[in-house]
Amino acid sequence: MDACTAVERDIDKVLSKFTAFSEHSSNTLTNLRSDIENLKREIDQVGSGELTEAQALILTQALGRVKEAVTCLSTDHRDLHSSVSKVGKAVDKNFTPDFGCISNDSVFSGTKQQLLNEVICQHFFRQGLLTIAEDLISETDLQLQKESREPFFELNRILDALKARKLEPALEWAKINREKLRAQHSSLEFKLHRLAFIELIKEGPHKVQEAIQYARLHFTPFVYQHEKAVIQNLMGSLLYVKEGLVNSPYAELLSSTQWGEICDVFTRDACALLGLSVDSPLSVCINAGCTALPILLNIKQVMQQRQVHSMWNTKEELPVSLMDELPIEIDLGPTCRYHSIFACPILRQQSTESNPPMRLICGHVISRDALNKLTNGNKLKCPYCPVEQNPNEAAHIHF
Ligand SMILES: [Zn+2]
């Protein structure tokens, strides 16, 4: 952020110079133009006769002034160039241009390139940028299953409608998927009906009858569920429609955030139903990277200054289990926590696929590496409780 502020300061300087130059040059040019026009008028008055010596002198002087002003303007213009190039230098100075040290070229080599393209493509589909996604497919020869695109088309169509405050497509979708939504304890359909009801009572007392009809028709299936209290609340609001809901205890029903909320609920529940993650995996990775990158660059600098390269550069010296770990812990915030991590209490290492957590028969959990180290012949003594057991009886734990 500091870097952005520093560059912004330079940009502001250039912009104010540009404004000053533009004002100065237009003033100068206007003055010169009016001078010349005056002269021209005087010369025209003389007619075809010869110019007097005094007139010739005035003309030469005017020409001199024009030349001088032009030189002055071009010098100012040249100065502007140097200010603009200073911004470039400020950008170089404030931002690290070399990210080579923290990337790993082999990560996207070979077939993984196609996987990367697929992730980018799915991101575009999610965002509703269909033409860009199609172009990417044709340019990269991506073989994308038809089924992997269609859910996004439908989601985007319904979301666009919701954003335009149209409930019908979402209601239709929720009705078709009612059983599946209910199985995942989604109250999307009810929330959509609730919003439709609120839209009706918002219009005023003449819509109350219609709202009651709507409630009878659509709320009945939900009365026996946990939405009962919400329905009672909605019915209670009918008493105040005549006097205006704004000043009633039900004013919160008019809150404008409800449309944003319904979009979120729809995205979350529809993604869960289709087995998709709510956020695009690409944007999650990029956001995580943006948070982690400055910290990694900082630690790299510190490591270079203190000459402790070995932590990062000579990976081959590290045990395999440490190769997947970063040299420091980076907290990406609660939104980026997807699953629990097990750290072995014996070896103080994070578990990995090759070194998973193992549950001993006494209930204590240690990593497989620790288990192998503690095994003596065919016997293992738990490091926490002295229960002796066969290491083969330990079970692999999946989080
Ligand atoms: Zn134990």
Side-chain angles (χ1 to χ4, degrees):
M1 201 56 220
D2 288 346
C4 289
T5 329
V7 174
E8 209 174 344
R9 226 178 292 136
D10 275 312
I11 293 176
D12 284 344
K13 263 186 220 162
V14 174
L15 287 181
S16 66
K17 272 193 187 169
F18 263 102
T19 327
F21 175 74
S22 145
E23 268 172 29
H24 173 68
S25 62
S26 72
N27 280 347
T28 319
L29 288 176
T30 321
N31 287 343
L32 277 179
R33 206 177 299 134
S34 71
D35 270 5
I36 292 168
E37 266 160 19
N38 284 340
L39 264 178
K40 195 168 165 258
R41 224 171 291 128
E42 277 176 32
I43 293 170
D44 283 348
Q45 278 168 4
V46 175
S48 56
E50 290 268 313
L51 288 176
T52 64
E53 222 168 273
Q55 278 170 332
L57 186 66
I58 293 171
L59 207 55
T60 331
Q61 276 173 350
L63 277 176
R65 275 209 305 282
V66 172
K67 268 188 192 158
E68 205 180 308
V70 170
T71 328
C72 187
L73 284 182
S74 65
T75 321
D76 285 353
H77 195 250
R78 216 173 302 131
D79 283 350
L80 274 185
H81 277 290
S82 76
S83 312
V84 171
S85 70
K86 262 187 203 158
V87 175
K89 279 178 199 152
V91 171
D92 287 346
K93 203 174 87 187
N94 287 291
F95 292 93
T96 317
D98 176 25
F99 293 113
C101 58
I102 36 121
S103 72
N104 188 346
D105 294 338
S106 61
V107 171
F108 296 119
S109 60
T111 51
K112 289 174 187 161
Q113 181 71 48
Q114 282 300 68
L115 284 176
L116 179 65
N117 287 337
E118 206 176 310
V119 170
I120 296 175
C121 198
Q122 283 185 350
H123 177 80
F124 287 139
F125 277 133
R126 264 170 192 270
Q127 304 288 315
L129 303 167
L130 307 182
T131 44
I132 302 179
E134 295 295 346
D135 282 352
L136 184 69
I137 290 175
S138 66
E139 281 177 26
T140 54
D141 285 332
L142 202 61
Q143 305 294 326
L144 213 60
Q145 300 288 325
K146 209 175 174 216
E147 302 85 69
S148 62
R149 303 182 203 181
E150 265 164 11
F152 296 117
F153 293 159
E154 199 176 15
L155 285 189
N156 279 317
R157 183 179 59 85
I158 298 172
L159 259 183
D160 284 346
L162 277 182
K163 280 174 193 158
R165 306 210 162 186
K166 283 191 197 124
L167 288 166
E168 292 78 20
L171 273 169
E172 206 178 306
W173 185 89
K175 198 176 159 193
I176 294 169
N177 294 290
R178 183 178 287 164
E179 290 310 315
K180 289 186 202 162
L181 284 170
R182 212 167 270 174
Q184 64 184 43
H185 305 293
S186 158
S187 51
L188 175 69
E189 194 183 356
F190 174 69
K191 282 183 173 151
L192 289 166
H193 282 309
R194 175 179 172 271
L195 207 53
F197 176 87
I198 294 173
E199 286 304 300
L200 278 176
I201 54 172
K202 256 187 195 172
E203 289 188 39
H206 66 288
K207 287 278 183 178
V208 166
Q209 204 53 42
E210 203 179 317
I212 293 172
Q213 288 286 338
Y214 190 90
R216 275 205 188 118
L217 199 62
H218 298 289
F219 287 169
T220 331
F222 303 100
V223 173
Y224 311 102
Q225 295 177 23
H226 55 278
E227 283 92 357
K228 198 176 166 187
V230 185
I231 297 175
Q232 284 169 342
N233 180 275
L234 288 174
M235 293 302 120
S237 71
L238 288 171
L239 296 172
Y240 291 88
V241 174
K242 210 171 172 185
E243 295 154 35
L245 284 172
V246 188
N247 299 318
S248 77
Y250 298 93
E252 51 160 12
L253 293 181
L254 304 174
S255 158
S256 58
T257 56
Q258 308 210 50
W259 283 94
E261 278 165 22
I262 202 79
C263 288
D264 291 344
V265 172
F266 173 75
T267 314
R268 198 190 57 218
D269 291 357
C271 283
L273 194 144
L274 296 167
L276 303 165
S277 56
V278 176
D279 295 312
S280 133
L282 182 68
S283 65
V284 171
C285 286
I286 291 181
N287 288 337
C290 288
T291 316
L293 209 53
I295 304 170
L296 290 177
L297 286 171
N298 267 346
I299 186 139
K300 183 199 149 226
Q301 211 168 8
V302 173
M303 274 156 58
Q304 268 175 353
Q305 277 165 5
R306 302 203 180 153
Q307 306 199 322
V308 278
H309 307 278
S310 57
M311 268 175 83
W312 209 333
N313 291 346
T314 51
K315 278 184 180 167
E316 52 276 16
E317 287 172 17
L318 292 173
V320 182
S321 57
L322 275 182
M323 274 173 64
D324 292 335
E325 277 184 42
L326 290 171
I328 41 160
E329 199 173 301
I330 296 170
D331 188 7
L332 297 172
T335 49
C336 281
R337 278 180 211 139
Y338 294 99
H339 49 79
S340 306
I341 291 168
F342 176 76
C344 174
I346 306 296
L347 296 178
R348 302 194 182 281
Q349 280 174 7
Q350 248 177 46
S351 58
T352 59
E353 270 179 45
S354 56
N355 181 26
M358 303 295 286
R359 182 189 180 276
L360 308 179
I361 52 164
C362 54
H364 289 113
V365 182
I366 57 175
S367 69
R368 183 180 280 164
D369 279 357
L371 181 121
N372 291 339
K373 273 188 186 160
L374 294 170
T375 304
N376 194 356
N378 226 356
K379 276 186 186 150
L380 169 77
K381 208 170 170 187
C382 172
Y384 287 95
C385 60
V387 172
E388 233 175 59
Q389 51 202 292
N390 184 340
N392 294 331
E393 284 172 33
H396 182 168
I397 291 185
H398 297 272
F399 287 116

